[in-house]
């Protein structure tokens, strides 16, 4: 993806996790003030084709269902924390691609579900009316599974990291990831066709990520700490550039937020930025 990075990497949205959390906060506020208004923001392909194109974006505001304010605050903080960690580890561009592709797949999935309903659920649609029918099933497409894709990506990248379950019990994140994956699998097998479309579309980005990156994505908390320390050193350095990526040619002067590492698997002193460290082809002289 280096060619795409060179062309579009500068357009990547920094701190996109914070923007997503702000959207959730707006959604929860709307839900407290006027819950019925959320029905005008959902991902409803029928209404989109009838002129309400804002729904392509505003469905992100519709928050996952919950009535516990304390749980909402904890959830928002948790997803902000793991999202920003992934962005620092992968790089802003790759994290943008991962998150935005999940949203794009969700939109595409909603239109595929619409086509499926017209082909196989014509009688049911005729009984309820297409407008009311798609209004009812539009709530299946929410940010819940987008959040799950972020969590699963974090568990795959940092399997040895620990979280405090119930603020007391230390648990490695990989076990929570396995448990949630099993739960999602059970929901997919036992759920309705509508939930299957929503789940499959929203989690497709994680499946693509897992099958293309599973051999070189794992990081330990110690590696994360070293990256943060190196980032501070780069910010303090001035004058002649000390680091340059062998793929994109960027230095710490061009992008002060970038981290650089030498690859131990390449023959020679080849240094790469954080966005190419795990994706480059190893240089072998013999």
């Amino acid at each position: 993806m280096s060619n795409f990075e060179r062309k579009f990497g500068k357009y990547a949205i920094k701190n996109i996790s914070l923007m997503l959390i702000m959207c959730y906060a707006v959604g929860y506020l709307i839900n407290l003030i006027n819950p019925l208004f959320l029905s005008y923001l959902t991902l409803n392909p029928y209404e989109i084709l009838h002129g309400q194109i804002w729904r392509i974006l505003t469905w992100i505001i519709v928050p996952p269902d919950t009535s516990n304010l304390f749980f909402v605050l904890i959830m928002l903080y948790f997803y902000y924390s793991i999202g920003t960690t992934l962005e620092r580890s992968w790089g802003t561009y790759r994290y943008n691609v991962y998150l935005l592709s999940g949203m794009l797949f969700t939109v595409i999935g909603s239109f595929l579900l619409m086509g499926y309903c017209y082909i196989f659920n014509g009688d049911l649609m005729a009984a309820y009316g297409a407008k009311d029918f798609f209004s009812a099933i539009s709530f299946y497409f929410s940010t819940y599974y987008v959040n799950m894709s972020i969590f699963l990506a974090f568990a795959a990248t940092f399997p040895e990291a620990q979280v405090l379950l119930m603020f007391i019990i230390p648990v490695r994140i990989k076990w929570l990831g396995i448990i949630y994956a099993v739960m999602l699998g059970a929901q997919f097998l036992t759920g309705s066709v509508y939930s299957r479309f929503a789940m499959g579309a929203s989690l497709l980005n994680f499946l693509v990520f897992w099958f293309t990156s599973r051999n070189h994505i794992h990081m330990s908390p110690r590696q994360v700490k070293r990256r943060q320390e190196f980032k501070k050193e780069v910010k303090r350095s001035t004058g002649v550039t000390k680091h340059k990526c062998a793929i994109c040619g960027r230095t710490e002067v061009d992008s002060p937020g970038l981290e650089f590492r030498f690859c131990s698997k390449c023959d020679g002193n080849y240094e790469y930025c954080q966005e190419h460290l795990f994706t480059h082809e190893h240089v072998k002289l013999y």
Side-chain angles (χ1 to χ4, degrees):
M1 299 179 66
S2 58
N3 291 332
F4 288 95
E5 290 184 59
R6 294 190 186 100
K7 293 180 180 179
F8 306 108
K10 60 183 178 181
Y11 300 111
I13 304 172
K14 294 183 178 180
N15 211 3
I16 192 174
S17 296
L18 178 60
M19 296 183 181
L20 186 61
I21 295 302
M22 292 174 63
C23 289
Y24 293 166
V26 171
Y28 283 116
L29 184 62
I30 294 175
N31 189 49
L32 290 174
I33 298 175
N34 186 6
L36 294 179
F37 185 73
L38 289 177
S39 62
Y40 293 96
L41 306 177
T42 58
L43 184 54
N44 186 334
Y46 179 86
E47 297 292 359
I48 291 175
L49 293 179
H50 285 77
Q52 299 183 11
I53 58 176
W54 64 81
R55 292 176 180 266
I56 295 178
L57 298 176
T58 57
W59 68 274
I60 302 172
I61 298 177
V62 180
D65 294 333
T66 182
S67 57
N68 190 319
L69 179 59
F70 177 74
F71 177 78
V72 169
L73 295 177
I74 294 297
M75 185 198 70
L76 293 179
Y77 174 77
F78 177 72
Y79 281 110
Y80 170 76
S81 177
I82 64 176
T84 51
T85 301
L86 285 177
E87 182 175 349
R88 288 195 299 265
S89 304
W90 295 357
T92 301
Y93 174 78
R94 291 190 67 196
Y95 184 62
N96 270 238
V97 171
Y98 179 79
L99 194 57
L100 296 178
S101 63
M103 297 177 182
L104 176 61
F105 291 151
T106 302
V107 174
I108 294 175
S110 69
F111 281 94
L112 292 177
L113 176 60
M114 181 181 181
Y116 174 89
C117 292
Y118 270 109
I119 296 174
F120 298 101
N121 290 348
D123 296 339
L124 190 61
M125 290 175 55
Y128 288 93
K131 182 180 178 67
D132 294 335
F133 178 82
F134 286 111
S135 178
I137 68 173
S138 65
F139 283 93
Y140 282 96
F141 293 91
S142 70
T143 54
Y144 173 76
Y145 295 118
V146 175
N147 290 339
M148 290 306 304
S149 72
I150 297 175
F151 174 77
L152 293 175
F154 182 84
T157 306
F158 306 98
E160 302 303 321
Q162 287 189 346
V163 295
L164 293 178
L165 187 64
M166 305 298 293
F167 302 101
I168 300 175
I169 307 172
V171 180
R172 294 194 185 279
I173 200 72
K174 64 180 178 182
W175 299 118
L176 291 180
I178 292 173
I179 292 173
Y180 276 108
V182 172
M183 292 173 57
L184 289 172
Q187 291 177 18
F188 185 85
L189 294 176
T190 60
S192 64
V193 64
Y194 314 120
S195 64
R196 291 177 182 175
F197 267 92
M199 186 183 304
S202 301
L203 295 176
L204 182 59
N205 62 330
F206 173 74
L207 296 179
V208 173
F209 158 79
W210 173 253
F211 286 110
T212 58
S213 308
R214 65 184 185 275
N215 293 326
H216 53 264
I217 60 174
H218 308 299
M219 298 184 66
S220 66
R222 184 176 297 176
Q223 288 174 299
V224 177
K225 183 179 179 181
R226 288 201 301 265
R227 279 175 171 248
Q228 295 304 314
E229 293 175 350
F230 181 77
K231 185 176 181 180
K232 294 179 181 179
E233 294 177 2
V234 171
K235 288 183 178 180
R236 288 196 297 264
S237 63
T238 57
V240 180
T241 60
K242 298 180 180 179
H243 307 283
K244 182 177 181 181
C245 179
I247 299 296
C248 63
R250 287 183 292 180
T251 67
E252 73 272 18
V253 176
D254 299 325
S255 301
L258 278 182
E259 301 170 11
F260 297 84
R261 283 287 188 273
F262 287 96
C263 179
S264 60
K265 296 183 179 179
C266 289
D267 294 339
N269 296 323
Y270 289 91
E271 191 175 20
Y272 303 93
C273 68
Q274 64 190 36
E275 298 177 5
H276 296 104
L277 180 60
F278 298 105
T279 57
H280 70 275
E281 294 184 6
H282 297 301
V283 178
K284 299 297 181 182
L285 299 181
Y286 301 101

